[in-house]
Amino acid sequence: MLCKNCNEPLTDKNTYTSDHRYCISCGKEHTNYISYRKNTLKSLQEMNLDSKIIQTKYLIKETVREFGLEKVYISYSGGKDSTVLSHIAKSLYPNILHIFANTTNEFPETLQHIKWEKEENKTNLLTVIPKDSKGNVWTFKKVVEYYGYPIFSKRISNAIRTYQHALTEQTRQNSIDYIERNFKKYSKYKELPISDKCCDRLKKEPIRRKAKELGLECAILGILTSESYQREKDWIENGCNVFHKRKDNQSRPMSFWTEADIQEYITRFHVRISKLYEMGYSRNGCMYCGFGVHLEKGLNRYQKLAKTHPVQYQYFIKNFGNLIVEFDIQIANAL
């Protein structure tokens, strides 16, 4: 095995004990760099809102300078974060393109907000529908039946999917070891139909396909590093604007914002957001998505759905209720 950084052969004597991918010298250097980046992110998150708005505008302008206005677009979800991003971006470029993926698993209030944005707020907005390579529409139900349910977190679901689809005994054992090492308490679910592919099929791929069709080169995303470990890790490694490094160019000009910043911006600038937030929801993601549900205090999203959207809840119970019970997630009605 070689050091990830310098390609020096790794031995028992020169392997960095905190990260076996590196030799001692490179491992220490990498650890110091990660510490520096974490401190940088913390400093950015502690800035006041006015400073964050200035920095976000700079990052959006940098994206437009790099690719041209006709080659960039807002990846728009209809949620608070992307609505604030849209508000800032349109203050600079009023006709900037927005692309929304109707995952077939959206709250009615999200679809109503999208309609308002396009028809009344005059946002330049396109809606795409998820389809497979043959042109058949993907639905959440079809994705779950084909791949598995998105539950716990993307990392956990990905680890379980990798285990279930291992092609060799060695890969299978490596997957078991990985799950035991990182997600031991979820090991008991590894034979259940679980997968992280839902977002790819229903959201990311349809947007990418439309972007390619239109000749677009960079997505601008309203994501916050505070929302997940994976997003923070990605920012530490790549920063806000990630150009010409990966398959997809991305600008994440609000990565260093916090939830409090979002709310302050909405209040200060009287930004209209989805009515879903008036119903006690803190997120507007896909109705039946299970990522993070096991961490929710009080009524979880499914129990809340039973109260706010009884029709959609009954569909959920009919199609996925038994499976959710197997995940040890509480739902409103006994099955």
Side-chain angles (χ1 to χ4, degrees):
M1 188 174 176
L2 303 178
C3 172
K4 182 179 178 180
N5 185 56
C6 69
N7 290 324
E8 178 183 343
L10 296 177
T11 66
D12 291 341
K13 293 183 178 181
N14 75 341
T15 298
Y16 187 56
T17 55
S18 297
D19 191 335
H20 291 177
R21 298 173 301 169
Y22 297 95
C23 66
I24 293 174
S25 177
C26 292
K28 289 181 177 179
E29 183 178 338
H30 180 69
T31 297
N32 290 336
Y33 174 74
I34 294 299
S35 178
Y36 162 75
R37 291 291 289 168
K38 285 183 176 180
N39 289 333
T40 300
L41 177 58
K42 183 179 179 182
S43 296
L44 288 169
Q45 289 174 328
E46 290 174 349
M47 292 194 305
N48 61 41
L49 181 60
D50 289 319
S51 298
K52 289 181 177 179
I53 293 171
I54 291 171
Q55 181 66 10
T56 294
K57 286 183 176 180
Y58 169 79
L59 290 164
I60 294 172
K61 289 177 180 177
E62 184 179 58
T63 304
V64 172
R65 281 196 299 270
E66 180 68 23
F67 299 99
L69 183 58
E70 73 284 354
K71 297 291 184 179
V72 304
Y73 65 99
I74 305 288
S75 182
Y76 189 63
S77 71
K80 288 193 296 186
D81 300 347
S82 65
T83 297
V84 168
L85 171 62
S86 170
H87 192 270
I88 295 172
K90 289 199 296 181
S91 73
L92 299 170
Y93 309 104
N95 202 44
I96 190 169
L97 179 63
H98 296 52
I99 301 181
F100 167 72
N102 183 348
T103 63
T104 73
N105 190 20
E106 304 292 332
F107 283 95
E109 291 75 16
T110 298
L111 298 178
Q112 290 165 7
H113 184 72
I114 294 297
K115 187 173 188 286
W116 174 83
E117 281 282 10
K118 183 176 179 63
E119 297 180 1
E120 298 185 47
N121 204 32
K122 305 304 179 185
T123 300
N124 182 12
L125 190 151
L126 290 176
T127 295
V128 294
I129 302 295
K131 295 182 180 180
D132 62 21
S133 59
K134 297 180 180 179
N136 299 314
V137 174
W138 276 113
T139 64
F140 180 76
K141 186 172 186 291
K142 285 176 65 175
V143 170
V144 170
E145 289 173 347
Y146 191 84
Y147 292 103
Y149 205 97
I151 195 71
F152 305 125
S153 75
K154 287 186 179 181
R155 294 179 68 212
I156 296 169
S157 292
N158 176 266
I160 292 175
R161 178 175 63 85
T162 301
Y163 157 76
Q164 292 178 352
H165 293 275
L167 297 179
T168 67
E169 282 304 314
Q170 183 60 57
T171 302
R172 185 179 177 86
Q173 187 58 51
N174 289 343
S175 298
I176 293 174
D177 294 342
Y178 178 80
I179 293 171
E180 287 290 321
R181 186 169 61 250
N182 295 283
F183 313 114
K184 186 176 180 63
K185 65 184 288 187
Y186 302 101
S187 179
K188 63 181 180 178
Y189 304 109
K190 67 179 182 292
E191 302 297 342
L192 296 177
I194 293 174
S195 173
D196 61 328
K197 297 296 287 183
C198 190
C199 190
D200 288 340
R201 292 293 178 263
L202 298 183
K203 186 172 184 178
K204 293 180 180 179
E205 289 178 5
I207 290 178
R208 287 191 189 118
R209 193 176 298 119
K210 177 56 69 172
K212 183 177 181 180
E213 175 188 322
L214 297 176
L216 304 175
E217 297 179 4
C218 186
I220 305 176
L221 306 166
I223 59 177
L224 314 183
T225 57
S226 59
E227 291 181 322
S228 73
Y229 164 83
Q230 195 60 41
R231 288 181 176 179
E232 179 178 320
K233 181 174 181 288
D234 193 12
W235 187 93
I236 288 170
E237 294 178 355
N238 298 291
C240 292
N241 285 350
V242 188
F243 303 155
H244 315 300
K245 291 182 181 180
R246 302 190 298 206
K247 183 178 179 180
D248 297 318
N249 298 308
Q250 289 187 348
S251 172
R252 293 86 62 96
M254 293 170 53
S255 294
F256 48 88
W257 287 46
T258 66
E259 177 62 28
D261 296 323
I262 296 293
Q263 194 56 53
E264 183 180 349
Y265 187 97
I266 289 169
T267 301
R268 185 193 298 186
F269 295 100
H270 308 288
V271 178
R272 176 165 170 166
I273 58 176
S274 168
K275 294 186 183 302
L276 188 68
Y277 297 104
E278 299 174 10
M279 304 169 72
Y281 288 87
S282 60
R283 55 182 290 282
N284 82 313
C286 298
M287 278 188 294
Y288 308 135
C289 178
F291 290 153
V293 66
H294 60 304
L295 303 176
E296 293 173 345
K297 306 299 183 183
L299 290 181
N300 66 39
R301 68 193 64 172
Y302 300 135
Q303 293 169 321
K304 192 178 297 181
L305 188 71
K307 294 178 176 294
T308 61
H309 298 77
V311 174
Q312 288 81 3
Y313 178 76
Q314 287 305 318
Y315 174 87
F316 164 75
I317 287 295
K318 178 181 177 181
N319 290 281
F320 314 113
N322 289 317
L323 188 57
I324 297 300
V325 169
E326 288 194 77
F327 298 143
D328 298 318
I329 304 298
Q330 294 298 312
I331 53 180
N333 295 340
L335 296 178

